[in-house]
Amino acid sequence: MTLSEIERIQALLPQWVESSREQCSIGKVASYIPELSKSPIGALGIHLIDSNGLSISEGDTDLSFTMQSISKVFTLILALMDNGEDVVFDKVGMEPTGDNFNSMLKLELVQPGIPFNPLINAGAIAISSLIAGKDPAEKSARVLDFLRLLSNNSSLDYDMDVYRSEADTANLNRSMAYFLKDNGVLQGSVEDVLEVYFRHCSISVTCADLAQMALVLAHNGKNPTTGEQLIPRRFVQIAKTFMITCGMYNASGEFAIHVGLPAKSGVSGGILSLVPGRYGIGLVGPSLNRKGNSIAGVALLESLSREFEWSLF
Ligand code: GLN
């Protein structure tokens, strides 16, 4: 009897989760957002859903964690849906930076002083200012509703402890936002824009929620069950391209070589990835490598991609 791919994944995952988990001890949990330093350093979980709704969960998949930078993929999509490509790409560029995700270096060095791409902090803050809504509360509610729709989970909500912890300590993001305002990139009140940004970073999810969102991207914006087009295909294409070129911060090139899938990571240790047309994948492993990506999560995705030849390249 030959096993289907999903049965083979199911058979291999328990041992791979355990061997990848060994990497956790050489990484560190994020601590610049004080609340994140409480994350369990040895945790690793993965949830994978296929197009027929079959799912596999292995490891610490009960863990809730905040989306952090993973949310930037979806605020980009929402900003594109609200404004169109021309307006969005007037405010952010399309190029990887090679710098850390919170760097401001190139903002001053390279004219016209717009963020290089929407997935670095400066770019995502600019994107937050483009979300439609009369005030930060309405803008934030639109982002949360959008993520509830994509994750098929109407109870998705903020982790207010993480939200406050970031809002109280975000001196670097705050300085960046004021710099962007001075450069004419941000409209309106800087603190209002930052509130929208900190809120979407603090949306609390599980691996299953991320896998569900990823499956919509894997199906070019369609609800995998009903076939309803939730996101215009073109905007999914743009989002997935940024995930390949900038989704794993300044380790995106290395990740493209070793894994070869669209992915986005967050400093909480979450990773959202997908195999186009086939799987949505959500992972968490709060122990991070020096570039800020989940150390065990990246190792596990490398094993999966190698074994099942998932690389797009
Ligand atoms: N909220 C985080 C920050 O702005 C998101 C960064 C990340 O996940 N890389 O620093």
Side-chain angles (χ1 to χ4, degrees):
M1 188 188 76
T2 51
L3 294 179
S4 66
E5 183 171 279
I6 196 142
E7 288 168 327
R8 286 173 57 215
I9 299 171
Q10 187 139 37
L12 286 166
L13 262 185
Q15 79 204 54
W16 283 357
V17 166
E18 287 326 305
S19 58
S20 306
R21 197 196 290 277
E22 286 166 18
Q23 306 260 328
C24 292
S25 60
I26 44 176
K28 284 199 176 90
V29 297
S31 57
Y32 75 98
I33 298 174
E35 194 64 23
L36 291 184
S37 63
K38 298 178 183 164
S39 311
I41 188 165
L44 179 62
I46 179 167
H47 190 100
L48 184 144
I49 315 179
D50 80 358
S51 304
N52 303 315
L54 284 176
S55 64
I56 303 177
S57 256
E58 194 59 52
D60 302 301
T61 46
D62 289 341
L63 189 67
S64 293
F65 53 96
T66 50
M67 290 183 76
Q68 298 302 336
S69 282
I70 301 169
S71 59
K72 295 170 180 174
V73 172
F74 300 100
T75 51
L76 166 67
I77 291 173
L78 198 55
L80 285 164
M81 289 166 73
D82 285 346
N83 304 278
E85 285 178 52
D86 291 350
V87 171
V88 168
F89 292 117
D90 192 41
K91 302 290 182 199
V92 295
M94 300 182 186
E95 306 303 335
T97 61
D99 302 326
N100 291 337
F101 62 84
N102 55 5
S103 173
M104 321 181 38
L105 190 69
K106 293 203 167 75
L107 275 182
E108 204 174 358
L109 277 182
V110 184
Q111 290 309 317
I114 64 169
F116 262 51
N117 69 67
L119 299 186
I120 51 172
N121 286 8
I125 291 169
I127 291 292
S128 294
S129 83
L130 294 173
I131 303 290
K134 67 176 183 319
D135 55 22
E138 190 177 304
K139 290 171 199 250
S140 298
R142 290 189 63 244
V143 176
L144 184 58
D145 282 344
F146 186 50
L147 290 171
R148 285 177 173 168
L149 173 75
L150 299 180
S151 62
N152 198 22
N153 179 359
S154 57
S155 57
L156 224 61
D157 219 330
Y158 308 108
D159 180 328
M160 287 308 288
D161 291 332
V162 174
Y163 168 78
R164 277 187 289 267
S165 182
E166 178 163 25
D168 288 349
T169 56
N171 299 315
L172 188 55
N173 281 333
R174 200 163 261 118
S175 62
M176 210 179 293
Y178 279 96
F179 190 89
L180 291 172
K181 170 82 184 176
D182 205 64
N183 272 9
V185 177
L186 292 191
Q187 310 305 315
S189 142
V190 173
E191 290 301 324
D192 283 0
V193 173
L194 285 169
E195 181 181 337
V196 176
Y197 175 77
F198 298 145
R199 277 196 181 267
H200 68 69
C201 286
S202 71
I203 293 172
S204 179
V205 290
T206 61
C207 291
D209 295 322
L210 290 187
Q212 199 71 52
M213 295 175 200
L215 195 60
V216 176
L217 303 182
H219 285 273
N220 293 318
K222 286 197 172 122
N223 177 319
T225 321
T226 64
E228 186 192 350
Q229 194 80 42
L230 302 175
I231 306 168
R233 192 189 162 98
R234 167 71 179 152
F235 298 155
V236 178
Q237 183 185 40
I238 292 173
K240 286 195 292 196
T241 310
F242 278 121
M243 289 167 77
I244 289 281
T245 56
C246 322
M248 302 298 282
Y249 314 126
N250 45 343
S252 297
E254 194 182 330
F255 187 85
I257 299 268
H258 291 306
V259 180
L261 294 174
K264 182 73 203 89
S265 61
V267 284
S268 52
I271 303 178
L272 176 153
S273 189
L274 58 109
V275 183
R278 303 183 62 200
Y279 302 113
I281 304 172
L283 256 127
V284 68
S287 180
L288 307 178
N289 61 24
R290 270 180 297 135
K291 299 279 176 79
N293 294 314
S294 169
I295 195 162
V298 170
L300 184 53
L301 280 170
E302 281 178 14
S303 304
L304 280 163
S305 179
R306 201 178 317 116
E307 176 73 19
F308 296 103
E309 298 180 9
W310 283 344
S311 173
L312 304 184
F313 309 107

